[in-house]
Amino acid sequence: MKSQEGMTIIVKTVTRISVWLIFVYGIYIIFHGHLTPGGGFGGGVIIALGFLNVFLAYGKEYIKKWLNIGLLHDLEATSAILFVGIGIIGIAMTGGFLANFLSKGTLFRLFSAGTIPLLNILIGAKVGVALFLVVWSLSLFHIDEGGEQ
Amino acid sequence: MPIETWLIFILGFMIVGSIMALEIKDLLSSIIAIGIVGLALSVAFLFLQAPDLAIVQFLFEIFAIIILILAFLKKEYHKKDDPSNTNKILTLVTVITLGAILFFSIDVFKALPAFGEPYMNTAKYYLENGATETGSANLVSAIILDYRAYDTLGEVTVLFTAILGALTIIRIKKKSSGTEEDVV
Amino acid sequence: MILYILCFILLLVGLYGVLTKKDLIKIILSLSIMGYAANLFLILFAYKNDAIFPILSESAVQEAMVDPLPQALVLTSIVIELGITAMLVALAVRLYQKYKTFDITKIRSLSG
């Protein structure tokens, strides 16, 4: 019974279904950031909360198998670099840092507003991964015993 | 009811909630009280016509509660020695000082623009030209990612640094405690 | 004006917690209360009577909108606040590991 990590079977079953809906909702919020309320920050936190949901329901060992934590670190750093990269491309194309160099498109369409959706996606990935990593590293320690496990 | 009445009610609720969060002995109740304050702030943002902020504040409040509970809930330190008992004289002096600050700063608030009548010099330009210049229907997104993208870049940098700092602090602990054990 | 004063009282409650509490957790909570008050203060400035949120919609006619600039500033401020909270929690956890207490007066008297 040592392997009985996480919460009960009911919570695990519900999580298995609901977590994908949470991810879809987060991605929707990110992609529609230039049309509706929300955007990169809100959607990123929703994605982080989805990861957190799995983490709380299934426990540490499952997450270690399910996710590649090193890859998440890389993803976080990559999105920060790409943000600056888009800014530098803006200098090359139009002469201003972070200038909007893509076509504006039609108002109220999903693919419009130039670089704004791209930057929203990058911010969403960065915020989501970074916040999950903080909780992940905080949970690696049992500070009751005054030391790591 | 006018919006001002609602906001006065919500703000009063927030003040009571934060005083409770600070004065209550039980740690879990204290963290939950802070969560209530944050959610009330989210409702206040909705009343003030800021749905972007309401969403973000709501989610971040949930996240902050989870972090605080994960980090602090398991400890029984406040049963052994009670660090929440404070010096009575110090508390009295602080309350009197803060009350004096409040009393003398009331004049300042009279000089501010009245509630509901902002100046909106810069905002007028954004509201008139924002949609055509950026192609984004959400003008808040247009500001944070186009007009003031430098702000967002700085903010991403600050977030990156804060998260990196948290990770570094936690990782140092692992190594230093290991060496301490080696020494002992 | 009463709204501004109430918001300032909220800030002062947070300041009171920072100044008088000895518990590190309570100090972290007070800092976040101060952050709430500061954010709300900026948004109170932005509100305009009978105006709607600053998001255009396809069907509706152009109406008066509230000021979007403070909203953009506060949006970044909220995110930074969460990062600060996470970092403070990490610091507090580390202090607890070293000193076995959250009482700042005891932490001060213990050396090394």
Side-chain angles (χ1 to χ4, degrees):
Chain A
M1 300 303 285
K2 180 76 168 62
S3 66
Q4 199 63 33
E5 211 187 9
M7 297 188 181
T8 60
I9 185 80
I10 300 171
V11 179
K12 282 182 180 176
T13 313
V14 171
T15 302
R16 201 179 298 150
I17 300 164
S18 70
V19 71
W20 300 111
L21 298 177
I22 295 174
F23 282 144
V24 168
Y25 182 58
I27 291 168
Y28 163 77
I29 289 271
I30 290 177
F31 273 71
H32 286 245
H34 56 297
L35 302 176
T36 53
F41 299 114
V45 188
I46 293 176
I47 287 179
L49 283 170
F51 281 130
L52 206 54
N53 189 354
V54 180
F55 170 58
L56 291 178
Y58 279 86
K60 250 174 255 168
E61 295 301 319
Y62 186 83
I63 286 282
K64 266 184 197 163
K65 272 183 280 178
W66 188 51
L67 290 174
N68 188 347
I69 301 291
L71 197 68
L72 291 186
H73 279 285
D74 294 346
L75 182 61
E76 189 205 351
T78 312
S79 28
I81 291 170
L82 281 177
F83 194 102
V84 181
I86 286 182
I88 290 172
I89 295 173
I91 294 182
M93 305 278 285
T94 62
F97 188 67
L98 280 167
N100 204 341
F101 59 87
L102 293 175
S103 148
K104 307 283 192 302
T106 342
L107 200 60
F108 306 119
R109 291 284 91 82
L110 181 55
F111 294 104
S112 65
T115 51
I116 289 178
L118 288 179
L119 295 178
N120 257 335
I121 292 168
L122 290 179
I123 291 175
K126 171 151 179 42
V127 170
V129 172
L131 292 181
F132 172 68
L133 284 175
V134 169
V135 179
W136 168 254
S137 39
L138 271 179
S139 68
L140 285 181
F141 299 92
H142 292 293
I143 61 171
D144 296 322
E145 297 132 29
E148 80 272 20
Q149 52 191 345
Chain B
M1 270 203 284
I3 185 170
E4 219 163 347
T5 320
W6 283 107
L7 282 173
I8 288 171
F9 175 69
I10 292 172
L11 264 166
F13 186 71
M14 284 170 70
I15 291 170
V16 172
S18 44
I19 291 174
M20 264 184 69
L22 292 180
E23 294 301 334
I24 238 170
K25 289 273 191 284
D26 184 31
L27 193 59
L28 180 61
S29 314
S30 173
I31 291 174
I32 288 175
I34 212 78
I36 290 171
V37 176
L39 296 182
L41 179 60
S42 167
V43 175
F45 282 156
L46 272 184
F47 274 108
L48 289 165
Q49 303 288 349
D52 282 283
L53 291 176
I55 291 177
V56 173
Q57 172 69 35
F58 182 79
L59 293 165
F60 273 68
E61 196 52 48
I62 293 172
F63 206 89
I65 292 173
I66 292 178
I67 286 182
L68 288 170
I69 287 182
L70 263 183
F72 294 137
L73 196 62
K74 284 183 190 163
K75 280 160 295 306
E76 291 129 6
Y77 73 95
H78 55 291
K79 286 169 191 161
K80 280 180 288 184
D81 51 354
D82 189 7
S84 54
N85 57 350
T86 45
N87 191 342
K88 293 279 192 301
I89 300 170
L90 177 69
T91 309
L92 194 68
V93 171
T94 315
V95 169
I96 290 172
T97 315
L98 293 179
I101 290 174
L102 178 66
F103 181 74
F104 287 118
S105 57
I106 286 177
D107 280 346
V108 178
F109 293 119
K110 285 176 187 157
L112 294 175
F115 178 71
E117 297 157 15
Y119 289 149
M120 295 182 69
N121 293 329
T122 321
K124 203 173 285 170
Y125 178 81
Y126 289 148
L127 290 176
E128 283 166 2
N129 305 319
T132 49
E133 281 186 0
T134 66
S136 163
N138 185 346
L139 293 175
V140 178
S141 273
I143 289 176
I144 63 171
L145 292 175
D146 196 305
Y147 288 116
R148 301 200 168 217
Y150 270 123
D151 260 7
T152 311
L153 180 66
E155 183 273 334
V156 168
T157 316
V158 170
L159 185 70
F160 189 67
T161 316
I163 303 290
L164 211 65
L167 291 175
T168 312
I169 289 164
I170 286 167
R171 274 195 197 144
I172 285 172
K173 189 167 66 174
K174 209 173 203 172
K175 280 178 193 160
S176 70
S177 68
T179 50
E180 272 169 21
E181 280 170 12
D182 290 345
V183 170
V184 173
Chain C
M1 200 186 76
I2 183 84
L3 281 173
Y4 297 154
I5 293 173
L6 279 174
C7 200
F8 193 62
I9 290 174
L10 190 64
L11 186 87
L12 289 182
V13 169
L15 198 58
Y16 158 80
V18 172
L19 290 175
T20 59
K21 294 295 164 189
K22 291 177 181 173
D23 192 344
L24 261 180
I25 302 172
K26 291 283 171 64
I27 291 177
I28 294 174
L29 297 185
S30 323
L31 280 174
S32 54
I33 291 173
M34 288 174 74
Y36 296 153
N39 289 344
L40 186 55
F41 205 71
L42 278 174
I43 295 300
L44 282 178
F45 279 138
Y47 185 71
K48 190 178 182 186
N49 283 329
D50 302 322
I52 62 163
F53 45 82
I55 296 171
L56 305 176
S57 70
E58 217 159 349
S59 56
V61 289
Q62 185 88 9
E63 287 179 66
M65 288 176 178
V66 299
D67 193 345
L69 191 54
Q71 297 194 9
L73 299 182
V74 169
L75 194 61
T76 55
S77 152
I78 292 173
V79 182
I80 290 173
E81 234 169 68
L82 192 77
I84 289 172
T85 307
M87 190 160 165
L88 284 175
V89 166
L91 268 175
V93 164
R94 174 135 168 71
L95 276 173
Y96 186 81
Q97 191 201 13
K98 197 166 179 68
Y99 295 112
K100 304 284 180 294
T101 178
F102 277 125
D103 193 339
I104 52 170
T105 53
K106 286 181 187 162
I107 288 174
R108 201 178 294 149
S109 64
L110 294 168
S111 64

